Amino acid sequence: ESKGVLYEQSLAEFSNFVPNVPSAYEPGSVRFAGWYLNPECTGDEYKLDKKTMPAENVLLYAKWQLVTHTVKFYLDSETYEKGETLASHPDRTVKHNDFINGVDIPENGKYSFIGWFYLDNGEEKAFDFSNMPITKDMKVYGKWSSNVLVKYKIKYVIYIDKEKDLFVEIADETTGSALAGTSKTFEAKTGTELYDGYQTGYYPTIGSHNVPMNIDGENVYIFEYIALPDVEYTVRYIDKATGIEMADPKIVTTKDAVVTEVFKPITEYMPDAYQKRLVLSANEKENVIIFYYTKDTENAYYVITHWVQNIEGDGYSEYRSIQAPGKIGSTISEEPLTITGFTYNSTESKTSGKLTAEGLKLDLYYDRNTYPLKVQYLENGTNTPLADPYTTADKYRVGKQVSATAIDIKGYKLVGEQTKVKTISEPEESNVITFYYIEEEVTISYVAIEAGYGTVSVSQEIVKANTGAASGSTPTAKPRYRFVGWYTDEECTKPVDPSWVDSNNKLVPQKVDGLNVSATYYAKFVENLGDLTIKKNGCSEIDENQTFLFRLQGLDEGVNDHIDMVVTIHGNDSVTIKDLFVGNYSVTELTDWSFRYTPDAVTKNVNVTTNGLELTFNNNRSLLWWLDGSNYKVNLFKQGN
């Protein structure tokens, strides 16, 4: 069926002959599909640019086709970027300017559906299928929300072996939380944000990345860096309306990680910004700054930048920047800010100026305040000073990290880190590093050597090193044994300081150099023994061959009462009984069989001590004449004969 207008043309060439869409149809709803020689528009298309005018008339029929559009569905922006269409929503083909009804809401776990969205020249816009007709091919994706906070982690690495996932981190991780279903854009870290050794010569493979917050995932993104001697970036100046380049591009090779470019003045045109900043990437295709211009002869852009001094005092970094259009010829002014930790530098700053077609830049500078650091040493729990505090002679700029190392304090143990870092801040009195200590405790042990011989009253005590005092320990010997002394070694060869031991043998350890010290002291016990010498002392007539018997018996129950023995002495002599248990004994001379001599006492009780004892029995002749009765006879021989 013919939908077009019949035209007549007698030109030899048809190459410039094009049909018009009939006014009865809405523009865009149909499209011209070619010329044909029959009203059914079948067979081969009659291509005018390939034909010349024959000798006879030619009747051509214009073929028209309805315009259709394809709509593709994606679960979210992430699958949209990957090109993964939604399995539950197959592509839909619709006529131009028609609606799509009954588009189901897809399922997405715990997320709540916000709506369908599409990108229009890079700008995200909402699409309502019920109220908005389809006028072009479209790709729509769902947006989702949640009241669930999820954590994210951004890493900055150089890969050693990417296949084995071996890498070196070159900056602190960026961590935080965000609502699931939302997304956050992160810029790659650069400059001083990177660790030493990586602040120059290393570039990310992508300058920024948008991370969707997955309710079930780990939400981790890794910025990969590679080493390059320099990178290249391009600045372009484009007419926003036509897309035409308005000036030659500016191409720059730099070693910087972040660059800022100011617009190029173009007569009767105004840019969309005074200046633009770009984090450079190792992928130079990304390194493009574009200024868009619109026709404007009355206005120009100005920028006001507040600069804060760097921590090391080696220049200034941007704190806040304001870009806005203003009327050419007007005066632009800015009031200084109040920034905690900084003092406004009026000498270096420019706060006012007249806006020209070339734009205007106002810069306001702020210098960091400086403060010293105080370091103090306190007892944990009581805050009692344990050493004199000190304040650094140097002053440091706000934001500067200053470290201090703990000192050793006798008798105290440090709580926490040996080295602490303080970031200088305001107010001044907050710049304090405090090291806390707890008093050390020492263990003093008391050990009885030969435990079966004696005991100690205290076997162990724990004493504070500085403020404590030892209670001490008293030795007690068991029966048959005696205490010898306290020693500092187990072999009992090194006696303790005698001034530490009282009259009852109690050892009370004293401080050494003002401190109690951990130690073990040994109480030595030995068998309590002594020697007994029994001596026979009699008249001169005692025959040296005369035998005298003595019985020794222990009298102390549980100590020496097991001792019962007889010893022999010949004539005026003695016998020593060695290693007797110290105690009371009875010594009895056995006289039943003897009639010639009489002792001064038959039984004597004695106390044997460790110093030994000598016991003497004095004997006398029992009779002058040792024969009696009929046996008696006066000896006529003189003595000595």
Side-chain angles (χ1 to χ4, degrees):
E1 180 181 358
S2 175
K3 300 293 182 180
V5 178
L6 179 63
Y7 290 88
E8 293 184 2
Q9 186 160 329
S10 60
L11 298 175
E13 298 288 343
F14 294 119
S15 58
N16 294 323
F17 184 58
V18 294
N20 289 321
V21 177
S23 59
Y25 286 85
E26 182 180 350
S29 62
V30 295
R31 68 179 181 84
F32 175 68
W35 292 105
Y36 289 83
L37 293 171
N38 58 72
E40 292 79 18
C41 295
T42 59
D44 293 334
E45 180 183 353
Y46 194 87
K47 296 184 181 294
L48 298 178
D49 59 346
K50 305 295 183 183
K51 305 290 185 178
T52 59
M53 187 66 189
E56 67 276 0
N57 293 333
V58 177
L59 178 61
L60 298 178
Y61 297 88
K63 182 177 181 179
W64 303 90
Q65 288 181 339
L66 291 174
V67 174
T68 61
H69 305 293
T70 300
V71 180
K72 294 180 178 292
F73 299 87
Y74 300 84
L75 180 64
D76 52 29
S77 59
E78 186 175 9
T79 57
Y80 169 79
E81 290 178 3
K82 295 179 180 178
E84 300 172 355
T85 56
L86 191 57
S88 60
H89 289 58
D91 296 351
R92 300 279 287 270
T93 300
V94 297
K95 295 178 182 179
H96 178 79
N97 227 29
D98 274 3
F99 294 88
I100 296 181
N101 296 316
V103 178
D104 295 332
I105 296 174
E107 292 186 1
N108 192 13
K110 302 173 185 176
Y111 293 115
S112 299
F113 184 70
I114 295 176
W116 295 105
F117 288 78
Y118 70 102
L119 294 180
D120 184 10
N121 292 324
E123 182 181 354
E124 185 177 70
K125 294 181 179 180
F127 192 86
D128 182 0
F129 284 104
S130 299
N131 299 301
M132 298 173 68
I134 307 298
T135 59
K136 61 181 178 179
D137 288 348
M138 298 190 68
K139 294 179 178 180
V140 296
Y141 56 87
K143 288 195 72 172
W144 307 87
S145 69
S146 170
N147 58 1
V148 177
L149 275 177
V150 293
K151 293 182 178 180
Y152 60 80
K153 182 187 297 183
I154 311 299
K155 293 175 174 287
Y156 311 86
V157 309
I158 293 175
Y159 277 101
I160 300 172
D161 189 327
K162 200 165 187 177
E163 290 184 359
K164 296 181 180 179
D165 199 31
L166 298 176
F167 56 79
V168 175
E169 295 197 37
I170 63 172
D172 291 337
E173 294 177 348
T174 299
T175 58
S177 299
L179 284 175
T182 62
S183 60
K184 289 179 69 70
T185 298
F186 298 91
E187 284 190 347
K189 287 187 175 181
T190 59
T192 56
E193 296 175 313
L194 303 177
Y195 295 152
D196 288 344
Y198 301 98
Q199 295 178 2
T200 58
Y202 290 87
Y203 298 89
T205 57
I206 184 172
S208 63
H209 185 72
N210 184 271
V211 180
M213 297 298 156
N214 192 323
I215 199 168
D216 298 314
E218 293 185 353
N219 301 311
V220 175
Y221 183 77
I222 297 177
F223 280 103
E224 179 186 357
Y225 290 72
I226 60 176
L228 292 173
D230 50 48
V231 294
E232 185 179 278
Y233 70 93
T234 303
V235 187
R236 299 175 62 196
Y237 313 93
I238 295 177
D239 187 321
K240 187 175 182 181
T242 65
I244 297 174
E245 300 274 354
M246 303 194 69
D248 291 337
K250 176 182 177 182
I251 300 175
V252 182
T253 299
T254 182
K255 297 181 181 298
D256 295 334
V258 182
V259 294
T260 300
E261 285 286 339
V262 176
F263 82 100
K264 176 180 286 188
I266 297 176
T267 304
E268 297 184 351
Y269 281 85
M270 188 177 78
D272 60 341
Y274 182 91
Q275 63 186 27
K276 293 187 178 183
R277 174 182 178 272
L278 178 65
V279 176
L280 295 180
S281 164
N283 180 6
E284 293 183 349
K285 291 182 179 179
E286 289 190 354
N287 297 335
V288 179
I289 296 175
I290 300 177
F291 288 96
Y292 291 97
Y293 290 79
T294 56
K295 187 77 171 178
D296 193 336
T297 59
E298 296 182 355
N299 300 293
Y301 251 96
Y302 64 88
V303 61
I304 300 172
T305 306
H306 298 267
W307 302 88
V308 292
Q309 189 180 33
N310 295 335
I311 292 175
E312 300 301 329
D314 54 353
Y316 293 82
S317 298
E318 183 179 314
Y319 175 75
R320 180 185 298 174
S321 183
I322 304 167
Q323 298 188 62
K327 213 150 192 63
I328 294 174
S330 63
T331 299
I332 307 298
S333 299
E334 176 73 355
E335 290 293 327
L337 301 176
T338 299
I339 305 176
T340 302
F342 293 83
T343 299
Y344 173 62
N345 185 336
S346 59
T347 303
E348 299 293 330
S349 300
K350 180 181 180 182
T351 60
S352 181
K354 183 171 286 189
L355 181 60
T356 67
E358 287 73 32
L360 174 66
K361 192 173 192 314
L362 301 179
D363 294 304
L364 290 81
Y365 294 93
Y366 304 83
D367 294 332
R368 291 178 184 266
N369 298 333
T370 60
Y371 301 106
L373 175 69
K374 179 181 178 181
V375 182
Q376 58 185 4
Y377 315 93
L378 305 180
E379 183 177 29
N380 190 44
T382 67
N383 289 339
T384 302
L386 301 176
D388 292 335
Y390 77 90
T391 300
T392 59
D394 293 333
K395 291 186 176 183
Y396 306 95
R397 294 181 181 88
V398 167
K400 175 73 174 178
Q401 289 189 326
V402 186
S403 64
T405 301
I407 62 173
D408 292 330
I409 300 178
K410 281 187 176 182
Y412 288 87
K413 182 170 61 177
L414 178 67
V415 177
E417 304 89 351
Q418 183 75 21
T419 300
K420 290 186 177 182
V421 176
K422 171 66 179 176
T423 301
I424 300 299
S425 61
E426 289 193 338
E428 179 176 357
E429 54 268 21
S430 67
N431 297 307
V432 178
I433 288 179
T434 302
F435 291 101
Y436 290 97
Y437 298 78
I438 56 173
E439 188 171 359
E440 290 182 333
E441 293 181 331
V442 300
T443 300
I444 302 175
S445 299
Y446 307 91
V447 178
I449 294 296
E450 299 294 350
Y453 291 6
T455 61
V456 291
S457 61
V458 174
S459 60
Q460 189 180 82
E461 61 178 327
I462 297 175
V463 182
K464 288 191 174 182
N466 202 344
T467 61
S471 299
S473 184
T474 302
T476 301
K478 292 184 178 181
R480 302 183 187 178
Y481 305 96
R482 65 186 174 86
F483 172 72
V484 175
W486 287 102
Y487 297 85
T488 60
D489 63 320
E490 193 170 2
E491 293 75 21
C492 296
T493 61
K494 300 175 182 177
V496 301
D497 187 331
S499 66
W500 294 5
V501 183
D502 66 12
S503 59
N504 295 318
N505 294 322
K506 181 178 182 180
L507 168 64
V508 181
Q510 303 300 302
K511 292 179 179 179
V512 178
D513 295 330
L515 295 175
N516 292 308
V517 294
S518 293
T520 300
Y521 299 100
Y522 301 90
K524 183 177 181 180
F525 297 89
V526 296
E527 290 182 309
N528 195 14
L529 303 176
D531 298 338
L532 174 61
T533 299
I534 302 174
K535 186 176 182 181
K536 185 64 178 178
N537 186 28
C539 59
S540 60
E541 291 86 357
I542 290 180
D543 186 349
E544 63 182 7
N545 295 315
Q546 176 67 50
T547 298
F548 299 94
L549 302 178
F550 296 89
R551 182 182 181 185
L552 175 68
Q553 290 178 288
L555 301 179
D556 295 333
E557 184 177 354
V559 176
N560 59 11
D561 56 351
H562 62 291
I563 298 176
D564 191 344
M565 59 189 299
V566 175
V567 297
T568 302
I569 299 177
H570 299 285
N572 280 332
D573 203 350
S574 64
V575 63
T576 298
I577 306 169
K578 301 188 73 63
D579 296 330
L580 290 172
F581 285 110
V582 169
N584 296 304
Y585 292 86
S586 67
V587 182
T588 302
E589 184 175 349
L590 302 178
T591 60
D592 293 348
W593 61 276
S594 175
F595 55 88
R596 296 183 62 188
Y597 300 98
T598 301
D600 53 356
V602 175
T603 298
K604 294 184 179 182
N605 292 332
V606 295
N607 182 260
V608 177
T609 67
T610 56
N611 295 324
L613 180 67
E614 184 178 285
L615 176 63
T616 302
F617 280 84
N618 294 305
N619 286 50
N620 297 311
R621 290 282 296 272
S622 299
L623 297 171
L624 182 60
W625 313 110
W626 56 278
L627 294 176
D628 58 3
S630 60
N631 296 319
Y632 172 79
K633 182 64 179 177
V634 175
N635 187 1
L636 298 179
F637 291 96
K638 295 181 179 179
Q639 284 184 320
N641 294 331

